[in-house]
Amino acid sequence: MDSDVRQNKIEEFTQELNLLLNEPESVEMRDGELVEKFDNNLTILTKSFQLKSGQLNVRVVNYRAPNTLTGTIGDKYTFIQWWSTKQLVHAQMIGDGEPELATDFVVRDSEHGIQLLLGGHVSIYHPYPVFVALWELSGQKWTQKSIVVGKMKLPDSWELNKDVDELILENRQHDSMSIEVLDHGNGFLINSDDSEQNIIIEFSKSGEVRIDSEHSITSNTHIEQQSYELIQEKYSENGIIIKYPQITKLKDTVKQKSLNQILKTEALKGLHEYAGSDTGVHAEIDYEIKRQSERFLSIQYTGIRYVKDAAYPNHIFYTTNLDMKQALRLRLSDLIKIERPFIELLKSGKATAVEPEQRDLISNFTQDDLI
């Protein structure tokens, strides 16, 4: 379709979605129901806040237009829906085709009235920089307010950029970032993949904003960092040697046990995939820690597999990535939206083949095959 036609279709749809969110019946639909209704093009987060004026329910709705319409990464639209009772339901589109993806927020009373602190990622690709925005409710309309930064203490590797009324923070050394609301609800904790590089953004009741690295104000927050160490374990049987890490000194012993079981199971999949029950196979697999932080643990396994009477050995390569907070194994789709823009980056990047015959493997696949 012509680009103007496509743009008109997006505008028609976002208007209809806005009307739906203004209907009292819509608040009875749970987040998951709305996401399924719109074929997973929505991401939604709903919270309830106790304010001076009473209870206020707020729902942040992100709509990502399919690239079949936009032909690009996909325009994103952010809606705020709020209600005190099911008879008083309001909605407003606050992001019109903007790149941001809102992932967390808090509503609070301030000297200026009811404020919405909105945080999230600058792109749908989560590891990239995060943004923080301030909105105020006047009558039945949210208005974005400029953020005036007072005290600021940032480590050398951090950068703060101001884009119109928003704050954008990124870490030059670490791409992977997350943003979450502080326990007291007056700001955000921004995590890089290095626990010593975390940033606190705090909003005072009067509107002053303080930005600080986490160490200097740890006593004023309720964030508990869990340090840990790694030791080496080894599986050795029937000519198969696999070295793998195990976690020690984690304060949460239940989480440590769960993580270590994942690590062992993941490491020994090399035994089942590359050795099997064949007695004529000999394999040696070692590991390298590629990233170790409070948030992520990434292990790369490499090795050599020898088969009796074979002309040459085979190379072994596999990885394990853990979310240390959630005690879960991470897959690529947990961190990256698997769609055409990412595939284009993958195909245009540099790849190193494990075996010589795999050298042109990625270029031989179509985008749909890779997705």
Side-chain angles (χ1 to χ4, degrees), residues 101 103 121-129 175-179 191-193 291 293 295-299 319-326 328-339 342 345:
L101 178 67
T103 58
H121 294 274
V122 173
S123 164
I124 58 173
Y125 300 111
H126 286 199
Y128 290 143
D175 283 341
S176 184
M177 304 174 73
S178 65
I179 182 168
N191 291 295
S192 70
D193 60 359
R291 176 171 291 174
S293 70
R295 183 67 188 272
F296 297 117
L297 178 61
S298 180
I299 306 107
T319 65
T320 299
N321 298 285
L322 296 184
D323 184 323
M324 297 296 294
K325 289 187 176 182
Q326 302 296 323
L328 295 172
R329 180 175 70 93
L330 290 168
R331 300 175 63 86
L332 181 64
S333 57
D334 295 322
L335 296 174
I336 298 293
K337 189 73 176 177
I338 309 297
E339 56 186 9
F342 170 69
L345 289 172

Side-chain angles (χ1 to χ4, degrees), residues 26-86:
S26 66
V27 303
E28 298 177 0
M29 297 183 69
R30 294 190 297 271
D31 293 352
E33 291 177 302
L34 279 168
V35 170
E36 291 181 4
K37 182 178 178 67
F38 291 96
D39 200 23
N40 296 311
N41 284 328
L42 297 183
T43 56
I44 302 177
L45 183 61
T46 303
K47 295 183 182 181
S48 181
F49 301 90
Q50 198 66 41
L51 305 176
K52 294 174 185 175
S53 55
Q55 182 171 296
L56 187 66
N57 303 284
V58 180
R59 175 181 275 165
V60 173
V61 179
N62 297 284
Y63 166 67
R64 180 168 48 85
N67 55 21
T68 50
L69 269 178
T70 62
T72 60
I73 287 179
D75 289 330
K76 288 165 288 298
Y77 302 81
T78 301
F79 300 83
I80 302 295
Q81 184 188 45
W82 70 101
W83 66 96
S84 52
T85 71
K86 291 182 180 178

Side-chain angles (χ1 to χ4, degrees), residues 158-329:
W158 282 83
E159 287 184 356
L160 171 68
N161 300 301
K162 196 165 185 201
D163 183 13
V164 191
D165 291 327
E166 296 179 351
L167 301 182
I168 296 176
L169 285 115
E170 58 185 315
N171 189 309
R172 296 192 301 271
Q173 296 178 354
H174 302 273
D175 283 341
S176 184
M177 304 174 73
S178 65
I179 182 168
E180 58 191 57
V181 175
L182 292 169
D183 286 355
H184 54 58
N186 287 325
F188 294 95
L189 170 70
I190 299 173
N191 291 295
S192 70
D193 60 359
D194 183 343
S195 64
E196 296 183 356
Q197 298 277 312
N198 295 342
I199 297 297
I200 296 281
I201 298 182
E202 289 187 301
F203 290 75
S204 71
K205 295 291 185 181
S206 62
E208 296 177 353
V209 178
R210 180 170 75 162
I211 302 178
D212 211 337
S213 56
E214 188 188 359
H215 334 276
S216 57
I217 55 174
T218 300
S219 59
N220 297 327
T221 65
H222 304 286
I223 310 294
E224 179 179 325
Q225 296 294 337
Q226 294 184 316
S227 60
Y228 62 95
E229 295 180 8
L230 298 174
I231 59 172
Q232 179 180 284
E233 292 289 346
K234 183 170 75 172
Y235 171 92
S236 180
E237 193 170 329
N238 298 326
I240 307 298
I241 300 173
I242 302 176
K243 297 176 182 178
Y244 60 94
Q246 291 282 271
I247 298 166
T248 66
K249 299 184 179 180
L250 192 65
K251 290 181 181 179
D252 188 336
T253 56
V254 175
K255 182 183 287 188
Q256 176 175 297
K257 183 177 180 181
S258 176
L259 287 164
N260 279 335
Q261 184 57 53
I262 295 173
L263 285 172
K264 183 177 180 180
T265 301
E266 286 287 297
L268 296 188
K269 72 182 180 185
L271 169 67
H272 307 296
E273 293 181 14
Y274 298 103
S277 57
D278 192 337
T279 56
V281 173
H282 175 74
E284 295 182 8
I285 301 173
D286 205 345
Y287 68 91
E288 181 181 352
I289 304 299
K290 304 302 289 186
R291 176 171 291 174
Q292 179 182 349
S293 70
E294 302 299 326
R295 183 67 188 272
F296 297 117
L297 178 61
S298 180
I299 306 107
Q300 173 183 291
Y301 293 93
T302 56
I304 297 290
R305 175 177 179 262
Y306 304 92
V307 180
K308 187 178 181 181
D309 299 328
Y312 56 87
N314 298 116
H315 294 275
I316 297 171
F317 180 92
Y318 57 101
T319 65
T320 299
N321 298 285
L322 296 184
D323 184 323
M324 297 296 294
K325 289 187 176 182
Q326 302 296 323
L328 295 172
R329 180 175 70 93

Side-chain angles (χ1 to χ4, degrees), residues 89-123:
V89 178
H90 308 277
Q92 176 184 338
M93 184 166 67
I94 64 169
D96 184 356
E98 301 296 331
E100 289 91 353
L101 178 67
T103 58
D104 211 341
F105 68 95
V106 64
V107 174
R108 63 175 200 155
D109 285 313
S110 77
E111 294 178 2
H112 302 286
I114 297 176
Q115 290 185 332
L116 167 70
L117 308 179
L118 194 66
H121 294 274
V122 173
S123 164

